[in-house]
């Protein structure tokens, strides 16, 4: 509800902005499993989003140019890596937890991203992006491509979250019980 603005103070009338809704994050949360910040056209660096929050600008032609993604200290062993597909450059090299992927000061759009953890990680990383024109991709995970390549469509917002790779009840030995009643 934070994105709603009261129109009439004497009645409960609200409107939803149709263009340029900005999600620019806050201070980094040390309790967040995953945190991410982006450098946006004409905005600069955003604050930090966490655990699936939206970071970027929805329904406006303000492109994402660089991204930084970081895991909580207790998850560093999960081996976070990511890379971006950038206008006129193509795929950037894979970078590690907390480093920048994209460009700064070159006015180049990020068009796609891949994010992964080490093989056999305890978590899956899920992510999706908003492409210019307010089109969200489906959620993808573990190194799959989110966005477009070769279509000149900039990413304008991103969401990233973690989930357990296996439900907790499938780990270790379980007591199955019997159908007898004592």
């Amino acid at each position: 509800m934070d994105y709603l603005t009261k129109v009439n103070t004497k009645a409960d009338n609200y409107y939803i902005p149709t263009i340029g809704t900005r999600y620019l994050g806050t201070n980094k949360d040390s309790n967040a499993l995953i945190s991410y910040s982006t450098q946006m056209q004409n905005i600069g660096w955003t604050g930090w989003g966490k655990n699936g929050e939206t970071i970027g600008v929805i329904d406006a032609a303000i492109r994402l140019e660089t991204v930084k993604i970081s895991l909580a200290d207790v998850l560093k062993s999960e081996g976070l890596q990511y890379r971006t597909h950038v206008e006129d450059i193509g795929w950037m090299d894979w970078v590690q937890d907390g480093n920048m992927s994209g460009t700064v000061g070159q006015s180049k759009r990020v068009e796609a991203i891949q994010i992964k953890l080490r093989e056999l990680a305890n978590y899956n990383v899920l992510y999706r992006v908003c492409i210019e024109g307010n089109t969200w991709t489906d959620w993808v995970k573990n190194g799959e491509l989110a966005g477009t390549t070769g279509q000149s469509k900039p990413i304008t917002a991103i969401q990233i979250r973690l989930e357990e790779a296996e439900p907790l009840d499938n780990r270790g030995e379980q007591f199955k019980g019997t159908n007898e009643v004592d």
Side-chain angles (χ1 to χ4, degrees):
M1 296 298 288
D2 329 355
Y3 60 89
L4 298 177
T5 304
K6 201 160 198 169
V7 175
N8 180 345
T9 58
K10 295 182 182 177
D12 290 331
N13 296 324
Y14 293 85
Y15 77 95
I16 299 173
T18 57
I19 188 163
T21 306
R22 296 173 183 227
Y23 299 93
L24 301 181
T26 59
N27 295 330
K28 193 167 184 181
D29 182 351
S30 60
N31 295 319
L33 295 178
I34 192 162
S35 301
Y36 40 99
S37 177
T38 64
Q39 191 268 323
M40 304 290 297
Q41 169 193 8
N42 299 328
I43 293 174
W45 283 100
T46 65
W48 291 88
K50 64 179 191 256
N51 305 332
E53 291 177 341
T54 301
I55 291 295
V57 180
I58 306 299
D59 201 21
I62 299 176
R63 67 182 171 264
L64 184 149
E65 297 177 347
T66 310
V67 65
K68 293 188 288 190
I69 308 170
S70 182
L71 291 175
D73 288 342
V74 296
L75 298 178
K76 296 291 184 191
S77 65
E78 296 295 315
L80 177 69
Q81 293 183 339
Y82 47 98
R83 69 180 182 163
T84 53
H85 186 276
V86 177
E87 167 189 11
D88 296 332
I89 296 173
W91 285 106
M92 306 288 284
D93 291 335
W94 289 95
V95 297
Q96 303 290 319
D97 188 350
N99 290 303
M100 293 187 301
S101 183
T103 61
V104 176
Q106 296 182 34
S107 298
K108 303 230 181 251
R109 66 183 169 266
V110 170
E111 299 172 344
I113 189 166
Q114 292 177 299
I115 309 169
K116 65 182 181 179
L117 301 171
R118 67 174 169 74
E119 287 188 42
L120 303 175
N122 293 316
Y123 292 86
N124 292 315
V125 58
L126 289 89
Y127 47 100
R128 69 180 188 155
V129 298
C130 184
I131 299 168
E132 185 177 52
N134 198 19
T135 303
W136 282 94
T137 64
D138 291 333
W139 286 95
V140 296
K141 67 181 181 179
N142 300 336
E144 296 174 337
L145 184 143
T148 63
T149 58
Q151 297 182 31
S152 300
K153 294 183 178 180
I155 292 174
T156 62
I158 190 168
Q159 296 174 328
I160 308 169
R161 63 187 172 92
L162 294 179
E163 71 176 8
E164 293 269 351
E166 295 181 38
L168 291 175
D169 59 1
N170 288 335
R171 293 187 183 166
E173 189 175 324
Q174 293 180 336
F175 175 72
K176 301 292 185 196
T178 67
N179 60 357
E180 297 177 12
V181 177
D182 185 3

